[in-house]
Amino acid sequence: MSDKKTKEKQPKNIIGVFDSGLGGLTVFKHFLESLPEYNYIYLGDNARLPYGEKSQDTIYEYSLEAMEFLFSRGCNLVIIACNTASAQALRRLQQEYLPKHWPDRRILGVIRPLAEKFANEKLNKIGVIGTKSTIGSKAYEIEIKKLNPKMKVEAISAPLLVPLIEEGWAKKPETKMILKKYLHPLKTKQIGALILGCTHYPYLLKEIKKIMGRRISVLDPGKIIADSLKKYLIEHPELNLKPAKEKTRHYFTTDDPKLFKDLGEKFLEHRITNIEQVKITDF
Ligand code: DGL
């Protein structure tokens, strides 16, 4: 178990990536591909997953603890890779928590970059799938309509997919059947593109594309988020994030590191070393 209260007062040239569990690795994979020159800490709150079924207050409280841990470890910037936490906690963290506790650090989410990418496409209607909490928050509709008030949004929650993927059932025929059941209603709504508004769904990307057919564009969100982060880093030199010689990657989980490693390597498509269990409620 990692030492508690290792408080770094100064940022240490590290990008933090936070998710409720392993799903954020589908985003982190693209950071490692597009921006390999930085130091990273990945934190998965596996012990308390899923966030997608929890209340806004609980998601805020958990996310705040995660931020406190990552900033205490010296992260200059944290990306909340989790759609649910981005939808339910990001704004409050940016507006209330950061200015008071870590005014020189920054927190970004995943909804804005995805909304930016799709709101500017020449489409009349777009689909979104996500957890109950993300869809209930209407965060995607709100962001897309800010950028393109004419765009129509059809959003549905697909709550069974996260547990099926976590259980290692992604390739099972039962999962394909459930996926079809969720997606078929969207196919009849004349959407031009589908946003995968949950960290776990890229794991089913091939199958989702197959079901939606050629006319509906389904992109890997991780790539879009990595491109947006690249741009953000260029535009924000004041964050002092510099290419690092040692290029450290450190993984933390609030649950069993072995479980994290086993499934995590499938999400990341890469070996995971340097992994520790941590209790973030102490930060
Ligand atoms: N990471 C969450 C998301 O992207 C999915 C898993 C969960 O419900 O915690 O919404």
Side-chain angles (χ1 to χ4, degrees):
M1 182 80 67
S2 181
D3 262 6
K4 36 186 179 172
K5 297 209 186 332
T6 322
K7 269 225 173 201
E8 294 285 1
K9 289 273 178 267
Q10 294 302 319
K12 294 274 171 198
N13 196 28
I14 305 170
I15 299 176
V17 181
F18 164 60
D19 184 50
S20 54
L22 297 166
L25 293 170
T26 61
V27 177
F28 188 43
K29 180 176 88 174
H30 290 277
F31 292 175
L32 295 181
E33 274 168 27
S34 303
L35 297 156
E37 65 273 32
Y38 294 97
N39 296 319
Y40 291 96
I41 293 181
Y42 181 96
L43 169 67
D45 190 9
N46 298 69
R48 299 189 291 196
L49 177 129
Y51 280 20
E53 312 284 310
K54 298 203 166 59
S55 72
Q56 184 171 28
D57 281 349
T58 303
I59 296 164
Y60 177 73
E61 188 192 307
Y62 290 178
S63 304
L64 188 145
E65 286 168 1
M67 296 307 109
E68 196 57 20
F69 170 75
L70 289 165
F71 290 133
S72 298
R73 286 270 164 172
C75 291
N76 307 42
L77 164 73
V78 173
I79 320 298
I80 299 186
C82 178
N83 287 260
T84 306
S86 296
Q88 298 286 18
L90 176 67
R91 181 157 310 172
R92 218 173 127 195
L93 288 169
Q94 288 172 328
Q95 292 177 353
E96 293 173 22
Y97 162 79
L98 259 195
K100 208 164 158 196
H101 299 279
W102 303 94
D104 59 336
R105 318 289 172 98
R106 290 293 171 267
I107 308 174
L108 302 174
V110 290
I111 293 176
R112 179 76 190 189
L114 292 172
E116 271 172 8
K117 169 79 183 165
F118 288 98
N120 296 323
E121 303 278 315
K122 284 198 182 94
L123 303 167
N124 297 322
K125 204 191 260 182
I126 193 160
V128 184
I129 49 169
T131 63
K132 269 190 200 161
S133 176
T134 300
I135 299 305
S137 74
K138 297 199 182 302
Y140 274 101
E141 279 102 316
I142 294 166
E143 284 305 321
I144 289 168
K145 283 193 186 288
K146 268 189 217 161
L147 299 160
N148 180 354
K150 284 191 185 147
M151 176 87 84
K152 294 195 182 79
V153 181
E154 287 286 341
I156 59 153
S157 63
L160 292 174
L161 299 180
V162 168
L164 284 166
I165 296 168
E166 290 273 329
E167 197 52 44
W169 276 42
K171 301 266 164 356
K172 298 243 179 194
E174 290 84 350
T175 303
K176 290 183 187 170
M177 219 172 71
I178 291 169
L179 196 53
K180 275 188 192 152
K181 197 112 185 133
Y182 281 135
L183 296 178
H184 271 164
L186 274 178
K187 278 192 79 173
T188 63
K189 305 272 182 180
Q190 269 123 29
I191 57 169
L194 176 65
I195 297 182
L196 304 187
C198 173
T199 49
H200 285 59
Y201 303 165
Y203 204 63
L204 301 169
L205 184 64
K206 254 195 207 156
E207 199 55 36
I208 295 175
K209 279 187 169 181
K210 211 163 108 189
I211 296 170
M212 297 314 283
R214 280 216 200 126
R215 272 201 238 137
I216 300 172
S217 149
V218 190
L219 302 177
D220 189 335
K223 170 88 180 75
I224 299 164
I225 297 158
D227 288 347
S228 159
L229 175 60
K230 200 172 211 170
K231 210 168 136 234
Y232 183 87
L233 292 174
I234 295 168
E235 287 166 2
H236 293 272
E238 77 282 3
L239 275 174
N240 254 328
L241 277 159
K242 305 227 160 51
K245 268 195 205 125
E246 65 277 27
K247 298 186 189 71
T248 57
R249 282 92 176 88
H250 207 147
Y251 298 84
F252 290 95
T253 173
T254 52
D255 205 352
D256 183 354
K258 187 175 174 331
L259 293 176
F260 185 95
K261 184 174 160 63
D262 288 349
L263 194 55
E265 289 184 344
K266 290 190 185 138
F267 276 83
L268 194 64
E269 294 170 1
H270 211 278
R271 280 203 60 210
I272 294 177
T273 51
N274 217 4
I275 172 163
E276 262 181 80
Q277 188 171 3
V278 70
K279 206 169 171 190
I280 60 174
T281 45
D282 290 337
F283 278 84

